[in-house]
Amino acid sequence: MTTTNNNEKGRMRDGVFNLYKYWKNITKPIYYNVVSLPGESFEFELKALELEKESEHMTLHMYEKLEKVHSKQKSVVEKSDLLSQTGVFYKNESLPPVSAFANAPTFAWADLCGNPTPKNVELFSNLMAKKSVLVITFADRFRHPDGIDRDVLAFGAVSYMQHKLSGMTLLFSEEYKCKTKGMPMVMMAFTNSKSLASTLDEKSTIRRPKKVNTKKLTPSLFKEVKALLGKGLSNELIMSKLKLHKMELAGYKAARTRELRGGWSKTKKS
C-alpha cells in the first residue's frame, strides 16, 4: 500500500467516484441504493445524482449522527435541486448496517474515519445484494488499543476486514493521513460483483493493494500458531502441523509480537 499526503485526499475522493462510474457502467443497475456519510461535503453525492439516467431509480441515503453538523448542512440539502428531490434522504442518525440495504444493488461509502471497534466492524457483512460495492475508511494504527478486537490489532484493519468480508473481493486499499490529527488511515473497497472485480483487476483507477493470502492469514489459524508457540514447539513442527511455509509462520510470529506490544493486557483489564 502507498501512503498519501493530505493534498491527495481529493484524488482519493475522485478515485471513489471513478469506481462508482465503473460500477454503474459494468453492472448497469436499474433500481439501486447509494449510501454515504457526507460530513460537510456533498461533492460525491451530487455527482452520483447527476449520473442518474431517466430509466434508473436511485435511492440516496445520507447519514450524519452529529446534530450540530446535520442542522448546518440541512439547509444546503434543502437549497439544492438535486439533494432535495424525491428519493433522497438526509438523516440525523448513525450509519445502519449495510444489510439494511440488501433490497437492491448498493454502492455504500462508509467514510467513518474512526477506529475499527467491534461496534463499527459489525456494520459490515457479506449480506449485501448482488452487484454491490462497499467502500470503508478506518484508522489503521492504534495508540490506544483499548476496545479494539485483538484480531484487528494483530492483522490490521485491511487484512481483518478482508477476512470478515470473505464473500467479497477486495478491489483496493489505500493509506493516507487524517488532515486534522495526522492519524494513519486506510480506505478499502470491496465488491460481490464478479464482472466489476475482473474488470478492475486489469484496469484500476487507484493503486492495487498487495496480495494477501486469505487462506492462511486468518484469525483462527493465528490462535493455533500462538497456542503452539506457547507450548514451545519448534518452527519445523509448527510448519508441519499447520502446513505453513516459512514466510507464513514468520508473518504470524510478527503478528504475535505486535500483539504483545499493542497493549492487549490493558484491553483485558478494561
Side-chain angles (χ1 to χ4, degrees):
M1 291 183 289
T2 303
T3 301
T4 66
N5 58 39
N6 293 338
N7 294 331
E8 291 186 310
K9 185 68 181 291
R11 179 183 67 82
M12 296 177 64
R13 187 181 292 108
D14 290 341
V16 175
F17 181 62
N18 287 338
L19 174 60
Y20 178 78
K21 289 191 292 185
Y22 271 112
W23 172 69
K24 283 203 65 183
N25 290 337
I26 293 170
T27 64
K28 302 184 185 305
I30 301 300
Y31 294 89
Y32 60 98
N33 300 308
V34 175
V35 182
S36 70
L37 297 171
E40 297 186 356
S41 172
F42 295 96
E43 182 180 351
F44 166 74
E45 291 78 9
L46 288 169
K47 287 182 177 179
L49 287 166
E50 289 173 353
L51 283 184
E52 184 181 12
K53 300 176 181 178
E54 290 186 5
S55 60
E56 298 174 349
H57 304 273
M58 178 180 79
T59 303
L60 175 59
H61 305 267
M62 302 179 292
Y63 294 88
E64 175 53 62
K65 68 177 181 179
L66 299 178
E67 185 176 355
K68 182 178 180 180
V69 176
H70 182 268
S71 297
K72 177 182 176 182
Q73 299 301 107
K74 189 176 180 180
S75 61
V76 177
V77 172
E78 293 172 346
K79 293 176 182 178
S80 169
D81 292 337
L82 289 174
L83 294 174
S84 61
Q85 66 180 315
T86 302
V88 178
F89 302 94
Y90 183 47
K91 302 178 181 179
N92 183 200
E93 301 174 8
S94 297
L95 182 73
V98 292
S99 58
F101 310 100
N103 64 317
T106 298
F107 189 101
W109 183 9
D111 195 8
L112 291 174
C113 293
N115 285 338
T117 60
K119 182 179 179 181
N120 284 337
V121 167
E122 285 308 309
L123 294 175
F124 312 113
S125 68
N126 294 306
L127 300 176
M128 297 188 75
K130 294 181 179 179
K131 302 180 180 180
S132 291
V133 167
L134 174 60
V135 182
I136 311 169
T137 302
F138 272 139
D140 198 31
R141 296 178 191 173
F142 321 104
R143 294 179 182 176
H144 305 289
D146 294 5
I148 300 177
D149 189 278
R150 293 186 176 190
D151 291 326
V152 178
L153 287 169
F155 293 102
V158 176
S159 294
Y160 180 81
M161 292 307 299
Q162 190 172 10
H163 167 72
K164 180 175 176 59
L165 300 174
S166 58
M168 303 182 80
T169 301
L170 176 64
L171 295 175
F172 67 76
S173 63
E174 186 85 4
E175 290 182 355
Y176 67 100
K177 286 189 176 181
C178 179
K179 185 176 181 180
T180 54
K181 298 181 179 180
M183 175 69 72
M185 311 295 295
V186 63
M187 176 185 286
M188 300 158 269
F190 298 84
T191 187
N192 57 14
S193 167
K194 293 182 178 179
S195 57
L196 179 63
S198 61
T199 300
L200 291 184
D201 192 44
E202 300 176 356
K203 182 178 181 180
S204 179
T205 57
I206 296 182
R207 188 183 299 275
R208 300 289 294 173
K210 294 179 180 179
K211 296 294 183 181
V212 179
N213 189 338
T214 54
K215 181 178 180 181
K216 296 295 183 182
L217 189 58
T218 65
S220 58
L221 187 55
F222 180 45
K223 293 176 182 177
E224 293 187 55
V225 172
K226 288 194 297 181
L228 295 179
L229 287 171
K231 293 179 180 179
L233 270 65
S234 67
N235 291 348
E236 290 73 18
L237 284 175
I238 294 175
M239 288 188 291
S240 175
K241 183 176 180 63
L242 300 180
K243 295 181 174 56
L244 292 172
H245 297 300
K246 184 176 181 179
M247 292 304 295
E248 291 171 335
L249 177 59
Y252 280 112
K253 293 178 75 174
R256 183 170 179 261
T257 299
R258 290 196 298 273
E259 167 188 294
L260 296 174
R261 292 176 178 174
W264 285 6
S265 59
K266 295 181 182 179
T267 304
K268 285 183 177 181
K269 294 177 182 178
S270 61

